[in-house]
Amino acid sequence: MTRIIFPLLLGIAALFSAAAHAQSGARLADNAPDSYTVARGDTLWDISARFLQQPWRWPEVWRLNHDQIRNPHLIYPGQVILLDRSGPWLSIGRRIGGTREVRLQPQVYSEALDTAVPSIPLQIIEPFLSRPLVVDGPRLEGSATIVATETSRVLTGSGDTIFAKDVDDSTEVWHIYRPARPLEDPLTRETIAWEAAYLGTARVTGRGTPATLEIVSAVEEIGVGDLMLPSERPAVFSYAPHAPAQALEGRIISIHRGVSETGRLNVVALNLGERDGIERGHVLALFRNRGSAEFNGEDGKESFTLPEKRYGTVFVFRVFERVSYALVMDADGYVTLADAVRRP
């Protein structure tokens, strides 16, 4: 599919306005290049890290408005990113001839739609974009339920037939899951949702009560009592990183694969969701609790609460009502359960 890209149209009006003379406030990275040619496999975060000390601030130096932040399909492999150090500002252009003279102008690119540079590594977050990973009370109560298997087999797999109740007539493809464990707020110990174990996918082959379905794919064995939710279309993640508009205070409540600590480019769950104002693309700062210390001095024993340490950032990529998933983008040391997240 041919896509015509006019990459300068997003910022051309601002480029010559008085607002363009205001400083962005972002700090340049050490040895930031004057330009960079986008390569396949790049992410918007990685590209911005070449130019900025805080890569998540790239929407500011690109001067994106709110709608563009929600859909920043700006950059394709082969394009040249240019740095204007006076802002700093970033823009797309091309070199003219063999000199260092640079002129910015609209260009026509013929690219497949799926080759746009993503915000963060899609190969890491892809399994989290469409599967029912978190189930709250309403979704749990509204799920369909497998009530029988063909020939009364205890467990089934790909190609087998199952029967389920409460199957909505308008939905053809279903995700099969099993609530694995409760997600608790680390401070209140309240169960705010359940983390679902994804089992596979089934397609309706016959309507009725119960409905008949064929298991299309299975990552684990499926049995009577397992639950189903309508399949969600895989989302192409392209939200630009940006700070929340309001102050937020949250905690890490789960780490993918059930471990107690993790590091860069791993997925964590937060006790913040839609009702808290979290949205896809939000960047939050990580803070480590250093605990307390006691000191025995001339005045006797004294107790001190040590200050928290800011040590990294996370990028929110999927949001539920009370829980969200985020990718650890950078971290100075291990990321652990109950670490705090706040507006950077």
Side-chain angles (χ1 to χ4, degrees):
M1 180 180 293
T2 299
R3 182 184 178 110
I4 300 178
I5 306 297
F6 294 96
L8 295 182
L9 294 181
L10 297 174
I12 196 71
L15 184 62
F16 298 104
S17 68
H21 297 288
Q23 298 294 306
S24 69
R27 298 190 302 275
L28 286 175
D30 295 337
N31 302 317
D34 293 326
S35 64
Y36 173 71
T37 301
V38 181
R40 294 191 183 277
D42 282 342
T43 66
L44 297 179
W45 189 285
D46 292 336
I47 293 170
S48 301
R50 295 176 179 271
F51 297 98
L52 305 174
Q53 292 184 22
Q54 299 171 297
W56 65 268
R57 296 187 65 176
W58 72 261
E60 299 174 39
V61 298
W62 281 91
R63 290 168 288 190
L64 302 187
N65 63 37
H66 190 67
D67 289 338
Q68 292 162 348
I69 285 174
R70 290 178 175 273
N71 189 22
H73 280 295
L74 297 177
I75 304 173
Y76 285 74
Q79 291 179 320
V80 179
I81 311 302
L82 304 174
L83 172 64
D84 177 354
R85 298 177 185 272
S86 66
W89 309 119
L90 292 175
S91 57
I92 300 174
R94 67 175 182 178
R95 290 187 175 84
I96 303 301
T99 69
R100 291 183 60 83
E101 178 187 0
V102 174
R103 182 177 63 176
L104 306 182
Q105 60 182 8
Q107 300 177 61
V108 177
Y109 289 89
S110 177
E111 295 281 351
L113 290 178
D114 61 356
T115 61
V117 173
S119 300
I120 55 179
L122 289 181
Q123 70 273 18
I124 297 176
I125 67 171
E126 189 278 332
F128 298 85
L129 294 180
S130 61
R131 296 176 181 177
L133 301 172
V134 170
V135 185
D136 55 17
R139 294 188 88 195
L140 188 63
E141 295 172 3
S143 296
T145 305
I146 298 175
V147 297
T149 61
E150 193 169 39
T151 66
S152 299
R153 293 177 57 183
V154 176
L155 298 171
T156 60
S158 298
D160 290 333
T161 298
I162 56 175
F163 306 92
K165 66 174 184 176
D166 301 323
V167 175
D168 185 87
D169 289 339
S170 63
T171 303
E172 182 179 359
V173 180
W174 294 76
H175 281 316
I176 306 169
Y177 76 97
R178 185 179 301 139
R181 58 193 177 105
L183 292 175
E184 294 184 344
D185 187 291
L187 300 181
T188 66
R189 312 313 304 177
E190 175 193 6
T191 297
I192 57 179
W194 288 263
E195 200 162 42
Y198 173 78
L199 304 179
T201 304
R203 183 182 301 275
V204 175
T205 58
R207 301 290 177 181
T209 304
T212 304
L213 301 94
E214 179 185 351
I215 299 175
V216 177
S217 63
V219 296
E220 291 186 29
E221 293 179 320
I222 296 166
V224 173
D226 287 335
L227 304 175
M228 303 194 309
L229 282 172
S231 173
E232 300 178 27
R233 178 173 295 181
V236 176
F237 186 81
S238 60
Y239 278 41
H242 57 290
Q246 72 279 16
L248 293 168
E249 176 80 27
R251 299 278 175 174
I252 294 176
I253 58 174
S254 175
I255 298 174
H256 183 48
R257 297 190 180 92
V259 298
S260 59
E261 58 184 28
T262 190
R264 183 176 178 271
L265 296 183
N266 283 280
V267 174
V268 297
L270 313 176
N271 65 340
L272 297 171
E274 291 176 352
R275 76 172 195 174
D276 304 295
I278 284 289
E279 63 183 46
R280 295 200 300 172
H282 271 166
V283 173
L284 301 172
L286 286 164
F287 291 84
R288 178 176 295 116
N289 184 351
R290 288 168 161 163
S292 59
E294 291 187 349
F295 174 73
N296 291 315
E298 295 179 356
D299 298 327
K301 182 180 294 186
E302 297 178 89
S303 180
F304 297 91
T305 300
L306 302 179
E308 291 181 318
K309 177 185 178 181
R310 175 173 170 169
Y311 71 95
T313 54
V314 297
F315 189 114
V316 177
F317 64 85
R318 193 170 184 196
V319 180
F320 303 88
E321 182 183 7
R322 301 184 64 184
V323 176
S324 57
Y325 279 97
L327 185 66
V328 178
M329 300 306 301
D330 56 77
D332 177 14
Y334 289 110
V335 179
T336 59
L337 290 173
D339 281 352
V341 291
R342 300 192 189 99
R343 188 180 189 273

